[in-house]
């Protein structure tokens, strides 16, 4: 056993004395040591129940013959961090989580791991760590929140942000906003739509690293506790069979995840996290893969914010496995990939049934013949930009309008709420990328303000930052190269015409090459916004959005 390094032999007597200090018995130290990586905290609604999930996992591990040992991972609540300096610290935690988990797992020589994440960055961060450490590992998330209910209609956090925009436009009273505030988020769990947290928990199932139901069983259901016990038991089976994350998270599994991403209509943030996970297994992930896969993968789900259904509805309809089963009708998945169940993808989904064709459209009757995400390229984004196509209204699939240019999110929000953005405009928010932000802030506030003020069908927004999974509309993020490194988005001027064609995967700035060359000659890099602490180190090492904002040591 790997843990023999710290538990067996006379040389390890000092190590065992420290285990004695922790109260471990000889019997426990003779068993495999299983690290339980728990993201429990009291600031993130999706994590407030993870202590109960961890207790259930520990019970499962112990029942199956292992010794569970819990240690923590951090998590940021993107909703609470939204719209202020805190959002600069969101994406960057993904790498802190991966690094700290790697450090804990290697320093203490665990034989296996169970990862308990739930929200946006700690799911991919822990998947990255699992690939690095590469000991038998199972994931079990805390589960999604139930949808809220306002005036008889289901609702969620995205509606809450849009309510603020509606209030600014004078179309909603303060009393109505307060009703949303009190009812939009009624339970613990990751927010109830197909936002980033739920996207990544669902894709964890597809990657093969979570048991069936990991992405969809609501946080408040007792079934979630049973799932956690089974995860604890299953990791011991993986240890006995020596099935490891890199046996599961293969290139084929990543492509399966991207395919199901298209069918589900996941958050655009998956196009940051899948490349980063792929990087950890040595896969060169080109985000333009998305267009090739989208061209042959139908969009089968319109979960909030794209439509009126929620994670609880997807769970009742058969969950992720039912979506995957629909995709097998045209052989769109590799069914031979191994999973943490000890079975292949094909074996896992063999008996899956689509129980509600209003929630999961049949393959023969999709919302669209193409997938939920698109990567746009052109002279404004030579290395690509990402849009959640399934959340764009038909009127905005092709759009042309004048650029309204802002060098930070706050200035754009002031203009939107101040009524200075009009139908037809293209709002450009730059210097908010991985380096320029630093930290690549999410832009849920401006997209929600646009929607709330009734401009969702007439105004586009592009940025070198990113969008919340709760954003909807013609919101094109991850523009690469970013402004901070001199990407073309840095050269856009007020009033320039920007042409967006989502069906053709194009985004163009209607400015001649000669004029762009003149502008480039005058452009000067901005002074870094942050010069000390973790954000400064992050900005020095981070790559562009099209590469997943991974960290690399700068070349001299």
């Amino acid at each position: 056993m790997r843990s023999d390094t710290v538990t067996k032999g006379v040389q390890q007597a000092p190590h065992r004395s420290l285990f004695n200090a922790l109260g471990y018995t000889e019997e426990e130290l003779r068993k495999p040591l299983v690290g339980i990586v728990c993201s429990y905290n009291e600031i993130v609604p999706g994590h407030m129940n993870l202590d109960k999930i961890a207790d259930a996992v520990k019970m499962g591990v112990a029942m199956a013959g292992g010794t569970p040992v819990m240690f923590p991972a951090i998590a940021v609540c993107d909703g609470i961090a939204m719209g202020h300096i805190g959002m600069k610290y969101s994406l960057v935690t993904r790498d802190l989580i991966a690094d700290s988990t790697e450090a804990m797992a290697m320093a203490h020589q665990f034989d296996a791991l169970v990862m308990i994440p739930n929200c946006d960055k700690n799911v991919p961060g822990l998947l990255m760590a699992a690939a690095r450490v590469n000991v038998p590992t199972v994931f079990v998330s805390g589960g999604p929140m139930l949808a809220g209910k306002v005036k008889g209609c289901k609702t969620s956090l995205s509606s809450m942000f849009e309510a603020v925009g509606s209030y600014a436009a004078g179309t909603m009273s303060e009393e109505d906003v307060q009703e949303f505030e009190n009812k939009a988020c009624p339970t613990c769990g990751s927010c109830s739509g197909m936002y980033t947290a739920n996207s990544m928990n669902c894709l964890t199932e597809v990657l093969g690293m979570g048991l069936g139901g990991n992405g969809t069983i609501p946080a408040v259901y007792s079934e979630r506790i049973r799932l956690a016990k089974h995860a604890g038991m299953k990791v011991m089976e993986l240890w006995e069979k020596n099935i490891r994350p890199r046996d599961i998270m293969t290139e084929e599994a990543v492509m399966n995840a991207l395919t199901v991403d298209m069918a589900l209509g996941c958050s655009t943030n998956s196009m940051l996290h899948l490349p980063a996970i792929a990087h950890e297994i040595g896969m060169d992930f080109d985000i333009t893969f998305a267009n090739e896969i989208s061209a042959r993968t139908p969009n089968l789900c319109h979960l909030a914010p794209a439509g009126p259904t929620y994670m609880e509805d997807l769970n009742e309809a058969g969950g992720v496995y039912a979506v995957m089963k629909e995709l097998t009708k045209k052989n769109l998945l590799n069914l031979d990939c191994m999973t943490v169940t000890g079975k292949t993808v094909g074996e896992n989904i063999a008996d899956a049934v689509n129980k509600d064709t209003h929630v999961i459209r049949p393959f023969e009757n999709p919302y669209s013949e193409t997938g939920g995400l698109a990567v746009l390229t052109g002279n404004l984004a030579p290395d690509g930009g990402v849009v959640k196509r399934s959340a764009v209204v038909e009127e905005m699939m092709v759009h042309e309008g004048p650029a309204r240019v802002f060098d930070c999110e706050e200035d754009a929000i002031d203009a939107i709420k101040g009524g200075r953005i009009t139908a037809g405009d293209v709002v450009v928010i730059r210097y908010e990328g991985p380096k320029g932000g630093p930290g690549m802030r999410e832009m849920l506030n401006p997209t929600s303000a646009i929607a709330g003020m009734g401009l969702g069908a007439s105004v586009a927004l592009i940025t070198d930052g990113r969008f919340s999974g709760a954003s909807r509309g013609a919101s094109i993020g991850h523009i690469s190269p970013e402004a901070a490194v001199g990407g073309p988005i840095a050269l856009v001027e007020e009033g320039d015409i920007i042409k967006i064609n989502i069906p053709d995967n194009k985004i163009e700035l209607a400015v001649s090459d000669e004029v762009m060359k003149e502008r480039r000659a005058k452009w000067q890099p901005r002074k870094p916004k942050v010069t000390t602490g973790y954000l400064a180190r992050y900005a020095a090492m981070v790559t562009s959005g099209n590469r997943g904002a991974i960290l690399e040591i700068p070349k001299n």
Side-chain angles (χ1 to χ4, degrees):
M1 292 191 299
R2 181 190 179 100
S3 60
D4 288 353
T5 309
V6 294
T7 60
K8 299 292 192 299
V10 175
Q11 292 295 322
Q12 278 64 50
H15 305 71
R16 288 195 300 276
S17 72
L18 294 169
F19 279 104
N20 289 341
L22 290 162
Y24 287 102
T25 65
E26 290 183 12
E27 291 83 358
E28 287 174 300
L29 296 184
R30 285 198 291 267
K31 299 174 181 179
L33 297 185
V34 181
I36 313 298
V37 190
C38 182
S39 302
Y40 169 76
N41 61 54
E42 295 180 341
I43 190 64
V44 185
H47 293 235
M48 64 179 285
N49 65 321
L50 296 190
D51 55 341
K52 296 177 178 61
I53 299 295
D55 287 344
V57 168
K58 290 166 70 175
M59 184 175 293
V61 168
M63 285 192 295
T67 297
V69 183
M70 189 169 71
F71 64 90
I74 64 169
V76 162
C77 177
D78 279 15
I80 294 174
M82 194 70 65
H84 56 87
I85 190 173
M87 183 46 73
K88 294 180 184 288
Y89 286 88
S90 173
L91 179 60
V92 305
T93 63
R94 185 187 71 186
D95 296 273
L96 280 176
I97 291 161
D99 293 347
S100 60
T101 303
E102 174 194 358
M104 287 293 287
M106 297 303 293
H108 301 105
Q109 292 292 286
F110 290 107
D111 296 298
L113 298 166
V114 179
M115 308 290 201
I116 309 175
N118 208 30
C119 287
D120 297 34
K121 310 308 165 308
N122 69 326
V123 180
L126 291 178
L127 284 165
M128 291 161 67
R132 289 184 200 172
V133 178
N134 202 36
V135 297
T137 303
V138 176
F139 276 65
V140 56
S141 77
M145 184 183 293
L146 294 179
K149 190 165 285 188
V150 176
K151 294 180 170 57
C153 297
K154 286 185 177 181
T155 191
S156 62
L157 183 66
S158 56
S159 299
M160 180 71 255
F161 275 92
E162 290 176 16
V164 175
S166 298
Y167 175 76
T171 59
M172 184 176 285
S173 69
E174 187 172 352
E175 289 75 19
D176 286 337
V177 173
Q178 188 173 30
E179 184 176 9
F180 271 97
E181 178 183 339
N182 290 328
K183 296 180 178 179
C185 300
T187 73
C188 64
S190 48
C191 294
S192 56
M194 187 54 80
Y195 310 143
T196 307
N198 292 325
S199 294
M200 294 310 302
N201 282 323
C202 287
L203 295 184
T204 297
E205 272 191 63
V206 184
L207 282 168
M209 292 299 294
L211 300 177
N214 178 71
T216 60
I217 298 170
V220 294
Y221 284 15
S222 298
E223 186 181 359
R224 174 65 56 177
I225 299 297
R226 296 198 297 273
L227 183 75
K229 291 176 182 176
H230 283 131
M233 290 185 272
K234 187 59 67 173
V235 79
M236 296 309 301
E237 181 182 320
L238 295 181
W239 176 77
E240 290 168 1
K241 294 180 178 178
N242 196 29
I243 298 174
R244 301 172 181 241
R246 287 184 211 161
D247 300 324
I248 295 169
M249 288 192 285
T250 60
E251 292 191 16
E252 292 79 11
V254 171
M255 299 308 279
N256 277 352
L258 187 53
T259 300
V260 178
D261 188 331
M262 294 297 169
L264 284 171
C266 290
S267 164
T268 52
N269 282 314
S270 65
M271 294 303 293
L272 284 174
H273 300 322
L274 285 176
I277 294 162
H279 177 73
E280 296 293 344
I281 65 169
M283 178 184 177
D284 184 14
F285 186 106
D286 183 339
I287 63 168
T288 59
F289 290 160
N291 291 337
E292 178 185 341
I293 288 179
S294 177
R296 62 175 183 261
T297 307
N299 178 225
L300 304 180
C301 298
H302 266 191
L303 297 153
T309 54
Y310 293 83
M311 295 305 296
E312 61 197 67
D313 302 312
L314 179 59
N315 186 61
E316 295 301 320
V320 174
Y321 281 6
V323 176
M324 295 173 74
K325 188 66 174 291
E326 289 288 348
L327 296 177
T328 64
K329 292 178 180 178
K330 290 289 185 179
N331 301 316
L332 294 180
L333 298 176
N334 186 316
L335 302 181
D336 296 327
C337 293
M338 180 51 63
T339 74
V340 294
T341 65
K343 299 177 181 179
T344 65
V345 168
E347 290 172 321
N348 286 344
I349 68 174
D351 298 325
V353 175
N354 182 354
K355 301 174 184 176
D356 189 338
T357 56
H358 296 291
V359 177
I360 305 171
R361 288 276 188 93
F363 193 96
E364 300 81 9
N365 181 35
Y367 283 101
S368 66
E369 295 292 340
T370 53
L373 297 179
V375 174
L376 311 186
T377 56
N379 67 345
L380 186 55
D383 294 335
V386 182
V387 63
K388 188 170 183 175
R389 185 203 318 248
S390 60
V392 180
V393 296
E394 187 62 35
E395 303 95 294
M396 293 299 293
M397 296 298 281
V398 177
H399 181 75
E400 179 178 324
R404 305 297 308 280
V405 183
F406 304 94
D407 287 350
C408 68
E409 178 187 6
E410 288 82 357
D411 289 349
I413 292 171
D414 287 344
I416 296 165
K417 291 187 175 178
R420 301 195 300 277
I421 301 300
T422 59
D425 287 348
V426 179
V427 176
V428 178
I429 305 177
R430 62 191 181 189
Y431 295 100
E432 290 285 9
K435 285 184 180 294
M440 204 178 187
R441 287 196 286 181
E442 286 187 341
M443 303 292 166
L444 180 57
N445 272 357
T447 60
S448 297
I450 288 170
M453 297 188 75
L455 297 171
S458 60
V459 170
L461 192 156
I462 70 170
T463 181
D464 54 6
R466 61 195 179 92
F467 294 107
S468 165
S471 292
R472 61 187 176 100
S475 305
I476 304 161
H478 311 188
I479 297 293
S480 300
E482 63 175 290
V485 298
I489 192 173
L491 310 179
V492 180
E493 294 185 359
E494 188 80 8
D496 286 348
I497 298 300
I498 293 176
K499 300 179 178 181
I500 299 165
N501 190 319
I502 295 173
D504 288 347
N505 303 317
K506 291 291 184 183
I507 182 166
E508 298 282 347
L509 181 65
V511 173
S512 70
D513 293 344
E514 292 76 16
V515 171
M516 290 293 280
K517 187 175 181 180
E518 292 172 6
R519 292 181 184 179
R520 181 167 297 285
K522 297 175 184 177
W523 179 80
Q524 294 291 324
R526 302 290 179 90
K527 290 182 180 179
K529 295 177 184 176
V530 179
T531 57
T532 60
Y534 178 54
L535 286 181
R537 296 196 302 276
Y538 181 88
M541 298 176 68
V542 71
T543 63
S544 64
N546 70 299
R547 296 188 58 203
I550 60 173
L551 300 186
E552 288 185 335
I553 298 172
K555 296 178 181 178
N556 294 329

